Amino acid sequence: MDLGIADRVALVAASSRGLGRAVATELGNEGARLVICARDQSALQTTQQAIEGETGAEVVAVPADLSEDGASDHVVQAGIDAFGQIDILVTNAGGPPAGLFEQHDLDAWDAAIRLNLRSAIALTQGVLPGMKERHWGRILNITSIAVKQPVDNLILSNSVRAAVTGFARTLANEVAAFGVTVNNLMPGYTRTQRVEELAERSAEQQGKTPDEIIGTWESQIPMGRLGSPEEFAAVAAFLVSDRASYVTGTSTQVDGGWIRSLL
């Protein structure tokens, strides 16, 4: 299937590893030109070279900490300077720390909001005017299955990612008439460094091994295994494609059936 995004410009946040890197690679394979960003400049450059080598895509790498003031504007402007516009935005950020409510002070809440909610809003503010002017745009927020079914010990993520969902669902109605779609994609337990880190922390707390923790998670998934970043990226590529022009305001789960609700 031709997704119709060859030569479109896609900005993928937090894309030096994990889901962000997988999505950027998939879009590169579809012929998109890429703007990638992450805090670790060395890892970002390694990712840039890998994606360019694998896909042949044009890739601009912009080191940035999106939780800092002005960082989102800097990344967006770098993409516009390089390619003239941003057609596709994939917001993404590392998850906030695990822990129970009483383990997090207000500074931790503020940090989670800046990292996961404010960064998505700031990036959207940067790209939306151009999308509306051109009457074509795709905004996709990577959230979490925790939005529909809260995950134990992740109160920061459960709360802040739900706020991103409310923001996106409201924005989708506001910009639909301009040919701009806004959707959310909810990863389940996917074999990334973030999930491995959560398994290690849970193992320490419960006196188990990380493999035992992952085994417990897999037993809760009807498919019986963790997902791969590539499986997640394939769904992301469709949602930001020309083919998905009538899909907006949705939250789609890629979780092997972990969420048990009807809707």
Side-chain angles (χ1 to χ4, degrees), residues 10 15-16 20-36 41-62 82-83:
S15 40
S16 65
R21 177 171 177 166
V23 170
T25 302
E26 186 75 9
L27 297 184
N29 280 323
E30 292 294 332
R33 295 173 288 171
L34 300 171
V35 182
I36 62 174
Q41 184 171 2
S42 176
L44 189 64
Q45 290 176 339
T46 298
T47 297
Q48 177 187 18
Q49 293 168 359
I51 294 176
E52 288 175 337
E54 178 178 339
T55 70
E58 295 180 72
V59 183
V60 170
V62 188
F83 298 121

PDB file of all heavy atoms in Angstrom, residues 10 15-16 20-36 41-62 82-83:
ATOM      1  N   ALA A  10       8.383  14.932   8.206  1.00  0.00           N
ATOM      2  CA  ALA A  10       7.883  14.417   9.482  1.00  0.00           C
ATOM      3  C   ALA A  10       8.841  14.759  10.610  1.00  0.00           C
ATOM      4  O   ALA A  10      10.043  14.489  10.519  1.00  0.00           O
ATOM      5  CB  ALA A  10       7.690  12.902   9.415  1.00  0.00           C
ATOM      6  N   SER A  15      13.425  10.538  19.360  1.00  0.00           N
ATOM      7  CA  SER A  15      13.541   9.506  18.334  1.00  0.00           C
ATOM      8  C   SER A  15      14.921   8.878  18.226  1.00  0.00           C
ATOM      9  O   SER A  15      15.266   8.273  17.210  1.00  0.00           O
ATOM     10  CB  SER A  15      13.122  10.083  16.973  1.00  0.00           C
ATOM     11  OG  SER A  15      13.585  11.403  16.795  1.00  0.00           O
ATOM     12  N   SER A  16      15.727   8.983  19.277  1.00  0.00           N
ATOM     13  CA  SER A  16      17.054   8.358  19.228  1.00  0.00           C
ATOM     14  C   SER A  16      16.997   6.879  19.601  1.00  0.00           C
ATOM     15  O   SER A  16      17.953   6.131  19.359  1.00  0.00           O
ATOM     16  CB  SER A  16      18.031   9.073  20.170  1.00  0.00           C
ATOM     17  OG  SER A  16      17.636   8.928  21.518  1.00  0.00           O
ATOM     18  N   GLY A  20      10.115   5.998  19.294  1.00  0.00           N
ATOM     19  CA  GLY A  20      10.366   7.143  18.432  1.00  0.00           C
ATOM     20  C   GLY A  20      11.289   6.794  17.282  1.00  0.00           C
ATOM     21  O   GLY A  20      11.034   7.161  16.125  1.00  0.00           O
ATOM     22  N   ARG A  21      12.350   6.077  17.578  1.00  0.00           N
ATOM     23  CA  ARG A  21      13.277   5.665  16.521  1.00  0.00           C
ATOM     24  C   ARG A  21      12.591   4.738  15.529  1.00  0.00           C
ATOM     25  O   ARG A  21      12.781   4.865  14.307  1.00  0.00           O
ATOM     26  CB  ARG A  21      14.500   4.987  17.128  1.00  0.00           C
ATOM     27  CG  ARG A  21      15.477   4.469  16.083  1.00  0.00           C
ATOM     28  CD  ARG A  21      16.776   4.008  16.704  1.00  0.00           C
ATOM     29  NE  ARG A  21      17.669   3.441  15.701  1.00  0.00           N
ATOM     30  CZ  ARG A  21      18.959   3.210  15.897  1.00  0.00           C
ATOM     31  NH1 ARG A  21      19.521   3.518  17.053  1.00  0.00           N
ATOM     32  NH2 ARG A  21      19.706   2.679  14.939  1.00  0.00           N
ATOM     33  N   ALA A  22      11.784   3.814  16.024  1.00  0.00           N
ATOM     34  CA  ALA A  22      11.089   2.881  15.136  1.00  0.00           C
ATOM     35  C   ALA A  22      10.124   3.615  14.213  1.00  0.00           C
ATOM     36  O   ALA A  22      10.038   3.305  13.019  1.00  0.00           O
ATOM     37  CB  ALA A  22      10.344   1.833  15.957  1.00  0.00           C
ATOM     38  N   VAL A  23       9.418   4.603  14.758  1.00  0.00           N
ATOM     39  CA  VAL A  23       8.480   5.371  13.938  1.00  0.00           C
ATOM     40  C   VAL A  23       9.237   6.181  12.885  1.00  0.00           C
ATOM     41  O   VAL A  23       8.853   6.210  11.708  1.00  0.00           O
ATOM     42  CB  VAL A  23       7.616   6.289  14.811  1.00  0.00           C
ATOM     43  CG1 VAL A  23       6.808   7.258  13.949  1.00  0.00           C
ATOM     44  CG2 VAL A  23       6.676   5.455  15.681  1.00  0.00           C
ATOM     45  N   ALA A  24      10.311   6.843  13.280  1.00  0.00           N
ATOM     46  CA  ALA A  24      11.096   7.617  12.325  1.00  0.00           C
ATOM     47  C   ALA A  24      11.623   6.727  11.207  1.00  0.00           C
ATOM     48  O   ALA A  24      11.587   7.098  10.025  1.00  0.00           O
ATOM     49  CB  ALA A  24      12.250   8.323  13.045  1.00  0.00           C
ATOM     50  N   THR A  25      12.103   5.551  11.557  1.00  0.00           N
ATOM     51  CA  THR A  25      12.620   4.624  10.549  1.00  0.00           C
ATOM     52  C   THR A  25      11.523   4.194   9.586  1.00  0.00           C
ATOM     53  O   THR A  25      11.720   4.146   8.369  1.00  0.00           O
ATOM     54  CB  THR A  25      13.246   3.393  11.227  1.00  0.00           C
ATOM     55  OG1 THR A  25      14.300   3.814  12.101  1.00  0.00           O
ATOM     56  CG2 THR A  25      13.801   2.427  10.204  1.00  0.00           C
ATOM     57  N   GLU A  26      10.367   3.888  10.127  1.00  0.00           N
ATOM     58  CA  GLU A  26       9.242   3.463   9.282  1.00  0.00           C
ATOM     59  C   GLU A  26       8.827   4.572   8.323  1.00  0.00           C
ATOM     60  O   GLU A  26       8.569   4.320   7.138  1.00  0.00           O
ATOM     61  CB  GLU A  26       8.066   3.054  10.162  1.00  0.00           C
ATOM     62  CG  GLU A  26       6.886   2.463   9.402  1.00  0.00           C
ATOM     63  CD  GLU A  26       7.122   1.043   8.916  1.00  0.00           C
ATOM     64  OE1 GLU A  26       8.143   0.426   9.307  1.00  0.00           O
ATOM     65  OE2 GLU A  26       6.293   0.554   8.130  1.00  0.00           O
ATOM     66  N   LEU A  27       8.768   5.800   8.810  1.00  0.00           N
ATOM     67  CA  LEU A  27       8.403   6.917   7.939  1.00  0.00           C
ATOM     68  C   LEU A  27       9.486   7.162   6.890  1.00  0.00           C
ATOM     69  O   LEU A  27       9.179   7.512   5.744  1.00  0.00           O
ATOM     70  CB  LEU A  27       8.163   8.169   8.772  1.00  0.00           C
ATOM     71  CG  LEU A  27       7.003   8.099   9.773  1.00  0.00           C
ATOM     72  CD1 LEU A  27       6.813   9.448  10.468  1.00  0.00           C
ATOM     73  CD2 LEU A  27       5.710   7.665   9.101  1.00  0.00           C
ATOM     74  N   GLY A  28      10.735   6.971   7.279  1.00  0.00           N
ATOM     75  CA  GLY A  28      11.815   7.078   6.310  1.00  0.00           C
ATOM     76  C   GLY A  28      11.680   6.036   5.208  1.00  0.00           C
ATOM     77  O   GLY A  28      11.917   6.312   4.027  1.00  0.00           O
ATOM     78  N   ASN A  29      11.295   4.830   5.584  1.00  0.00           N
ATOM     79  CA  ASN A  29      11.075   3.778   4.600  1.00  0.00           C
ATOM     80  C   ASN A  29       9.939   4.119   3.636  1.00  0.00           C
ATOM     81  O   ASN A  29       9.903   3.621   2.505  1.00  0.00           O
ATOM     82  CB  ASN A  29      10.777   2.443   5.295  1.00  0.00           C
ATOM     83  CG  ASN A  29      12.032   1.755   5.799  1.00  0.00           C
ATOM     84  OD1 ASN A  29      13.081   1.809   5.159  1.00  0.00           O
ATOM     85  ND2 ASN A  29      11.941   1.109   6.949  1.00  0.00           N
ATOM     86  N   GLU A  30       9.007   4.944   4.108  1.00  0.00           N
ATOM     87  CA  GLU A  30       7.889   5.360   3.264  1.00  0.00           C
ATOM     88  C   GLU A  30       8.220   6.581   2.416  1.00  0.00           C
ATOM     89  O   GLU A  30       7.365   7.081   1.685  1.00  0.00           O
ATOM     90  CB  GLU A  30       6.664   5.659   4.135  1.00  0.00           C
ATOM     91  CG  GLU A  30       6.065   4.437   4.803  1.00  0.00           C
ATOM     92  CD  GLU A  30       5.463   3.447   3.809  1.00  0.00           C
ATOM     93  OE1 GLU A  30       5.033   3.894   2.721  1.00  0.00           O
ATOM     94  OE2 GLU A  30       5.426   2.247   4.119  1.00  0.00           O
ATOM     95  N   GLY A  31       9.451   7.059   2.517  1.00  0.00           N
ATOM     96  CA  GLY A  31       9.887   8.163   1.674  1.00  0.00           C
ATOM     97  C   GLY A  31       9.786   9.534   2.285  1.00  0.00           C
ATOM     98  O   GLY A  31      10.038  10.542   1.607  1.00  0.00           O
ATOM     99  N   ALA A  32       9.411   9.625   3.570  1.00  0.00           N
ATOM    100  CA  ALA A  32       9.314  10.931   4.225  1.00  0.00           C
ATOM    101  C   ALA A  32      10.707  11.483   4.522  1.00  0.00           C
ATOM    102  O   ALA A  32      11.669  10.730   4.713  1.00  0.00           O
ATOM    103  CB  ALA A  32       8.509  10.814   5.512  1.00  0.00           C
ATOM    104  N   ARG A  33      10.800  12.796   4.539  1.00  0.00           N
ATOM    105  CA  ARG A  33      11.996  13.471   5.033  1.00  0.00           C
ATOM    106  C   ARG A  33      11.806  13.687   6.524  1.00  0.00           C
ATOM    107  O   ARG A  33      10.690  13.963   6.977  1.00  0.00           O
ATOM    108  CB  ARG A  33      12.202  14.783   4.296  1.00  0.00           C
ATOM    109  CG  ARG A  33      12.504  14.591   2.804  1.00  0.00           C
ATOM    110  CD  ARG A  33      12.541  15.900   2.048  1.00  0.00           C
ATOM    111  NE  ARG A  33      11.198  16.462   1.889  1.00  0.00           N
ATOM    112  CZ  ARG A  33      10.952  17.689   1.414  1.00  0.00           C
ATOM    113  NH1 ARG A  33      11.953  18.499   1.106  1.00  0.00           N
ATOM    114  NH2 ARG A  33       9.718  18.102   1.278  1.00  0.00           N
ATOM    115  N   LEU A  34      12.875  13.604   7.278  1.00  0.00           N
ATOM    116  CA  LEU A  34      12.742  13.477   8.724  1.00  0.00           C
ATOM    117  C   LEU A  34      13.470  14.570   9.496  1.00  0.00           C
ATOM    118  O   LEU A  34      14.593  14.953   9.157  1.00  0.00           O
ATOM    119  CB  LEU A  34      13.278  12.122   9.187  1.00  0.00           C
ATOM    120  CG  LEU A  34      12.608  10.880   8.600  1.00  0.00           C
ATOM    121  CD1 LEU A  34      13.397   9.632   8.972  1.00  0.00           C
ATOM    122  CD2 LEU A  34      11.170  10.767   9.103  1.00  0.00           C
ATOM    123  N   VAL A  35      12.815  15.000  10.579  1.00  0.00           N
ATOM    124  CA  VAL A  35      13.438  15.814  11.610  1.00  0.00           C
ATOM    125  C   VAL A  35      13.356  14.993  12.890  1.00  0.00           C
ATOM    126  O   VAL A  35      12.254  14.645  13.335  1.00  0.00           O
ATOM    127  CB  VAL A  35      12.719  17.162  11.802  1.00  0.00           C
ATOM    128  CG1 VAL A  35      13.435  18.002  12.857  1.00  0.00           C
ATOM    129  CG2 VAL A  35      12.610  17.912  10.483  1.00  0.00           C
ATOM    130  N   ILE A  36      14.491  14.654  13.455  1.00  0.00           N
ATOM    131  CA  ILE A  36      14.497  13.859  14.681  1.00  0.00           C
ATOM    132  C   ILE A  36      15.169  14.665  15.781  1.00  0.00           C
ATOM    133  O   ILE A  36      16.011  15.520  15.528  1.00  0.00           O
ATOM    134  CB  ILE A  36      15.199  12.496  14.497  1.00  0.00           C
ATOM    135  CG1 ILE A  36      16.674  12.679  14.124  1.00  0.00           C
ATOM    136  CG2 ILE A  36      14.482  11.674  13.422  1.00  0.00           C
ATOM    137  CD1 ILE A  36      17.466  11.376  14.073  1.00  0.00           C
ATOM    138  N   GLN A  41      23.025  13.883  22.282  1.00  0.00           N
ATOM    139  CA  GLN A  41      23.497  14.224  20.945  1.00  0.00           C
ATOM    140  C   GLN A  41      24.216  13.053  20.285  1.00  0.00           C
ATOM    141  O   GLN A  41      24.037  12.798  19.087  1.00  0.00           O
ATOM    142  CB  GLN A  41      24.430  15.432  21.006  1.00  0.00           C
ATOM    143  CG  GLN A  41      24.893  15.905  19.637  1.00  0.00           C
ATOM    144  CD  GLN A  41      25.639  17.228  19.705  1.00  0.00           C
ATOM    145  OE1 GLN A  41      25.840  17.780  20.774  1.00  0.00           O
ATOM    146  NE2 GLN A  41      26.034  17.744  18.553  1.00  0.00           N
ATOM    147  N   SER A  42      25.015  12.323  21.029  1.00  0.00           N
ATOM    148  CA  SER A  42      25.752  11.206  20.457  1.00  0.00           C
ATOM    149  C   SER A  42      24.801  10.116  19.956  1.00  0.00           C
ATOM    150  O   SER A  42      24.946   9.613  18.835  1.00  0.00           O
ATOM    151  CB  SER A  42      26.709  10.626  21.494  1.00  0.00           C
ATOM    152  OG  SER A  42      27.374   9.492  20.987  1.00  0.00           O
ATOM    153  N   ALA A  43      23.829   9.764  20.797  1.00  0.00           N
ATOM    154  CA  ALA A  43      22.852   8.739  20.393  1.00  0.00           C
ATOM    155  C   ALA A  43      22.032   9.215  19.207  1.00  0.00           C
ATOM    156  O   ALA A  43      21.686   8.430  18.314  1.00  0.00           O
ATOM    157  CB  ALA A  43      21.946   8.404  21.568  1.00  0.00           C
ATOM    158  N   LEU A  44      21.727  10.504  19.185  1.00  0.00           N
ATOM    159  CA  LEU A  44      20.937  11.063  18.092  1.00  0.00           C
ATOM    160  C   LEU A  44      21.701  10.981  16.770  1.00  0.00           C
ATOM    161  O   LEU A  44      21.133  10.621  15.732  1.00  0.00           O
ATOM    162  CB  LEU A  44      20.577  12.509  18.411  1.00  0.00           C
ATOM    163  CG  LEU A  44      19.581  13.197  17.481  1.00  0.00           C
ATOM    164  CD1 LEU A  44      18.223  12.533  17.548  1.00  0.00           C
ATOM    165  CD2 LEU A  44      19.464  14.680  17.846  1.00  0.00           C
ATOM    166  N   GLN A  45      22.989  11.300  16.809  1.00  0.00           N
ATOM    167  CA  GLN A  45      23.789  11.227  15.586  1.00  0.00           C
ATOM    168  C   GLN A  45      23.912   9.792  15.092  1.00  0.00           C
ATOM    169  O   GLN A  45      23.862   9.531  13.879  1.00  0.00           O
ATOM    170  CB  GLN A  45      25.169  11.829  15.841  1.00  0.00           C
ATOM    171  CG  GLN A  45      25.159  13.335  16.024  1.00  0.00           C
ATOM    172  CD  GLN A  45      26.526  13.904  16.364  1.00  0.00           C
ATOM    173  OE1 GLN A  45      27.412  13.193  16.830  1.00  0.00           O
ATOM    174  NE2 GLN A  45      26.711  15.194  16.120  1.00  0.00           N
ATOM    175  N   THR A  46      24.034   8.858  16.018  1.00  0.00           N
ATOM    176  CA  THR A  46      24.096   7.445  15.643  1.00  0.00           C
ATOM    177  C   THR A  46      22.798   7.018  14.969  1.00  0.00           C
ATOM    178  O   THR A  46      22.801   6.314  13.951  1.00  0.00           O
ATOM    179  CB  THR A  46      24.358   6.578  16.881  1.00  0.00           C
ATOM    180  OG1 THR A  46      25.622   6.932  17.447  1.00  0.00           O
ATOM    181  CG2 THR A  46      24.367   5.103  16.523  1.00  0.00           C
ATOM    182  N   THR A  47      21.681   7.471  15.527  1.00  0.00           N
ATOM    183  CA  THR A  47      20.381   7.148  14.950  1.00  0.00           C
ATOM    184  C   THR A  47      20.213   7.781  13.574  1.00  0.00           C
ATOM    185  O   THR A  47      19.709   7.149  12.638  1.00  0.00           O
ATOM    186  CB  THR A  47      19.257   7.619  15.884  1.00  0.00           C
ATOM    187  OG1 THR A  47      19.357   6.915  17.123  1.00  0.00           O
ATOM    188  CG2 THR A  47      17.896   7.373  15.274  1.00  0.00           C
ATOM    189  N   GLN A  48      20.631   9.032  13.456  1.00  0.00           N
ATOM    190  CA  GLN A  48      20.554   9.708  12.155  1.00  0.00           C
ATOM    191  C   GLN A  48      21.291   8.910  11.080  1.00  0.00           C
ATOM    192  O   GLN A  48      20.745   8.655   9.993  1.00  0.00           O
ATOM    193  CB  GLN A  48      21.158  11.105  12.262  1.00  0.00           C
ATOM    194  CG  GLN A  48      21.185  11.868  10.940  1.00  0.00           C
ATOM    195  CD  GLN A  48      21.941  13.187  11.034  1.00  0.00           C
ATOM    196  OE1 GLN A  48      22.725  13.398  11.974  1.00  0.00           O
ATOM    197  NE2 GLN A  48      21.700  14.089  10.108  1.00  0.00           N
ATOM    198  N   GLN A  49      22.507   8.495  11.381  1.00  0.00           N
ATOM    199  CA  GLN A  49      23.295   7.749  10.412  1.00  0.00           C
ATOM    200  C   GLN A  49      22.658   6.408  10.093  1.00  0.00           C
ATOM    201  O   GLN A  49      22.642   5.976   8.931  1.00  0.00           O
ATOM    202  CB  GLN A  49      24.711   7.555  10.959  1.00  0.00           C
ATOM    203  CG  GLN A  49      25.501   8.858  11.083  1.00  0.00           C
ATOM    204  CD  GLN A  49      26.779   8.706  11.894  1.00  0.00           C
ATOM    205  OE1 GLN A  49      27.095   7.624  12.391  1.00  0.00           O
ATOM    206  NE2 GLN A  49      27.520   9.790  12.045  1.00  0.00           N
ATOM    207  N   ALA A  50      22.093   5.762  11.111  1.00  0.00           N
ATOM    208  CA  ALA A  50      21.471   4.459  10.891  1.00  0.00           C
ATOM    209  C   ALA A  50      20.233   4.574  10.005  1.00  0.00           C
ATOM    210  O   ALA A  50      20.032   3.762   9.091  1.00  0.00           O
ATOM    211  CB  ALA A  50      21.106   3.821  12.232  1.00  0.00           C
ATOM    212  N   ILE A  51      19.395   5.573  10.262  1.00  0.00           N
ATOM    213  CA  ILE A  51      18.180   5.736   9.464  1.00  0.00           C
ATOM    214  C   ILE A  51      18.525   6.133   8.035  1.00  0.00           C
ATOM    215  O   ILE A  51      17.931   5.621   7.070  1.00  0.00           O
ATOM    216  CB  ILE A  51      17.244   6.772  10.112  1.00  0.00           C
ATOM    217  CG1 ILE A  51      16.723   6.249  11.455  1.00  0.00           C
ATOM    218  CG2 ILE A  51      16.063   7.089   9.192  1.00  0.00           C
ATOM    219  CD1 ILE A  51      15.872   7.243  12.215  1.00  0.00           C
ATOM    220  N   GLU A  52      19.480   7.031   7.879  1.00  0.00           N
ATOM    221  CA  GLU A  52      19.904   7.423   6.533  1.00  0.00           C
ATOM    222  C   GLU A  52      20.428   6.215   5.761  1.00  0.00           C
ATOM    223  O   GLU A  52      20.094   6.025   4.579  1.00  0.00           O
ATOM    224  CB  GLU A  52      20.976   8.511   6.614  1.00  0.00           C
ATOM    225  CG  GLU A  52      20.450   9.864   7.052  1.00  0.00           C
ATOM    226  CD  GLU A  52      21.559  10.878   7.245  1.00  0.00           C
ATOM    227  OE1 GLU A  52      22.721  10.467   7.479  1.00  0.00           O
ATOM    228  OE2 GLU A  52      21.267  12.082   7.176  1.00  0.00           O
ATOM    229  N   GLY A  53      21.234   5.387   6.427  1.00  0.00           N
ATOM    230  CA  GLY A  53      21.792   4.216   5.764  1.00  0.00           C
ATOM    231  C   GLY A  53      20.749   3.178   5.419  1.00  0.00           C
ATOM    232  O   GLY A  53      20.812   2.542   4.360  1.00  0.00           O
ATOM    233  N   GLU A  54      19.782   2.999   6.314  1.00  0.00           N
ATOM    234  CA  GLU A  54      18.771   1.961   6.104  1.00  0.00           C
ATOM    235  C   GLU A  54      17.698   2.374   5.110  1.00  0.00           C
ATOM    236  O   GLU A  54      17.220   1.549   4.315  1.00  0.00           O
ATOM    237  CB  GLU A  54      18.114   1.612   7.436  1.00  0.00           C
ATOM    238  CG  GLU A  54      17.012   0.562   7.332  1.00  0.00           C
ATOM    239  CD  GLU A  54      16.412   0.210   8.676  1.00  0.00           C
ATOM    240  OE1 GLU A  54      17.071   0.448   9.708  1.00  0.00           O
ATOM    241  OE2 GLU A  54      15.279  -0.312   8.696  1.00  0.00           O
ATOM    242  N   THR A  55      17.298   3.638   5.147  1.00  0.00           N
ATOM    243  CA  THR A  55      16.132   4.064   4.370  1.00  0.00           C
ATOM    244  C   THR A  55      16.466   4.972   3.194  1.00  0.00           C
ATOM    245  O   THR A  55      15.639   5.130   2.288  1.00  0.00           O
ATOM    246  CB  THR A  55      15.128   4.809   5.264  1.00  0.00           C
ATOM    247  OG1 THR A  55      15.666   6.096   5.642  1.00  0.00           O
ATOM    248  CG2 THR A  55      14.824   4.019   6.523  1.00  0.00           C
ATOM    249  N   GLY A  56      17.624   5.617   3.227  1.00  0.00           N
ATOM    250  CA  GLY A  56      17.958   6.589   2.202  1.00  0.00           C
ATOM    251  C   GLY A  56      17.269   7.926   2.388  1.00  0.00           C
ATOM    252  O   GLY A  56      17.343   8.803   1.527  1.00  0.00           O
ATOM    253  N   ALA A  57      16.594   8.105   3.520  1.00  0.00           N
ATOM    254  CA  ALA A  57      15.855   9.340   3.777  1.00  0.00           C
ATOM    255  C   ALA A  57      16.795  10.483   4.132  1.00  0.00           C
ATOM    256  O   ALA A  57      17.898  10.269   4.645  1.00  0.00           O
ATOM    257  CB  ALA A  57      14.861   9.125   4.920  1.00  0.00           C
ATOM    258  N   GLU A  58      16.332  11.702   3.854  1.00  0.00           N
ATOM    259  CA  GLU A  58      17.022  12.891   4.343  1.00  0.00           C
ATOM    260  C   GLU A  58      16.648  13.063   5.810  1.00  0.00           C
ATOM    261  O   GLU A  58      15.463  13.090   6.148  1.00  0.00           O
ATOM    262  CB  GLU A  58      16.598  14.127   3.562  1.00  0.00           C
ATOM    263  CG  GLU A  58      16.972  14.138   2.099  1.00  0.00           C
ATOM    264  CD  GLU A  58      16.498  15.413   1.434  1.00  0.00           C
ATOM    265  OE1 GLU A  58      17.082  16.487   1.685  1.00  0.00           O
ATOM    266  OE2 GLU A  58      15.515  15.338   0.672  1.00  0.00           O
ATOM    267  N   VAL A  59      17.631  13.200   6.670  1.00  0.00           N
ATOM    268  CA  VAL A  59      17.376  13.277   8.104  1.00  0.00           C
ATOM    269  C   VAL A  59      18.129  14.464   8.690  1.00  0.00           C
ATOM    270  O   VAL A  59      19.347  14.589   8.525  1.00  0.00           O
ATOM    271  CB  VAL A  59      17.804  11.990   8.835  1.00  0.00           C
ATOM    272  CG1 VAL A  59      17.455  12.081  10.323  1.00  0.00           C
ATOM    273  CG2 VAL A  59      17.168  10.766   8.206  1.00  0.00           C
ATOM    274  N   VAL A  60      17.401  15.329   9.396  1.00  0.00           N
ATOM    275  CA  VAL A  60      17.998  16.420  10.156  1.00  0.00           C
ATOM    276  C   VAL A  60      17.873  16.064  11.636  1.00  0.00           C
ATOM    277  O   VAL A  60      16.773  15.770  12.120  1.00  0.00           O
ATOM    278  CB  VAL A  60      17.299  17.761   9.869  1.00  0.00           C
ATOM    279  CG1 VAL A  60      17.763  18.836  10.842  1.00  0.00           C
ATOM    280  CG2 VAL A  60      17.573  18.190   8.427  1.00  0.00           C
ATOM    281  N   ALA A  61      18.983  16.067  12.349  1.00  0.00           N
ATOM    282  CA  ALA A  61      19.002  15.710  13.768  1.00  0.00           C
ATOM    283  C   ALA A  61      19.214  16.971  14.606  1.00  0.00           C
ATOM    284  O   ALA A  61      20.173  17.708  14.377  1.00  0.00           O
ATOM    285  CB  ALA A  61      20.101  14.695  14.053  1.00  0.00           C
ATOM    286  N   VAL A  62      18.330  17.192  15.567  1.00  0.00           N
ATOM    287  CA  VAL A  62      18.375  18.402  16.382  1.00  0.00           C
ATOM    288  C   VAL A  62      18.444  18.013  17.860  1.00  0.00           C
ATOM    289  O   VAL A  62      17.445  17.566  18.434  1.00  0.00           O
ATOM    290  CB  VAL A  62      17.135  19.287  16.144  1.00  0.00           C
ATOM    291  CG1 VAL A  62      17.305  20.623  16.859  1.00  0.00           C
ATOM    292  CG2 VAL A  62      16.873  19.496  14.655  1.00  0.00           C
ATOM    293  N   ALA A  82      15.349  23.612   7.292  1.00  0.00           N
ATOM    294  CA  ALA A  82      15.934  22.568   6.444  1.00  0.00           C
ATOM    295  C   ALA A  82      15.038  22.186   5.276  1.00  0.00           C
ATOM    296  O   ALA A  82      15.507  21.987   4.155  1.00  0.00           O
ATOM    297  CB  ALA A  82      16.236  21.329   7.286  1.00  0.00           C
ATOM    298  N   PHE A  83      13.725  22.089   5.543  1.00  0.00           N
ATOM    299  CA  PHE A  83      12.823  21.528   4.539  1.00  0.00           C
ATOM    300  C   PHE A  83      11.690  22.466   4.111  1.00  0.00           C
ATOM    301  O   PHE A  83      10.927  22.133   3.208  1.00  0.00           O
ATOM    302  CB  PHE A  83      12.209  20.228   5.069  1.00  0.00           C
ATOM    303  CG  PHE A  83      13.218  19.148   5.350  1.00  0.00           C
ATOM    304  CD1 PHE A  83      13.343  18.605   6.623  1.00  0.00           C
ATOM    305  CD2 PHE A  83      14.044  18.671   4.353  1.00  0.00           C
ATOM    306  CE1 PHE A  83      14.254  17.590   6.894  1.00  0.00           C
ATOM    307  CE2 PHE A  83      14.968  17.661   4.595  1.00  0.00           C
ATOM    308  CZ  PHE A  83      15.076  17.119   5.869  1.00  0.00           C
TER     309      PHE A  83
END
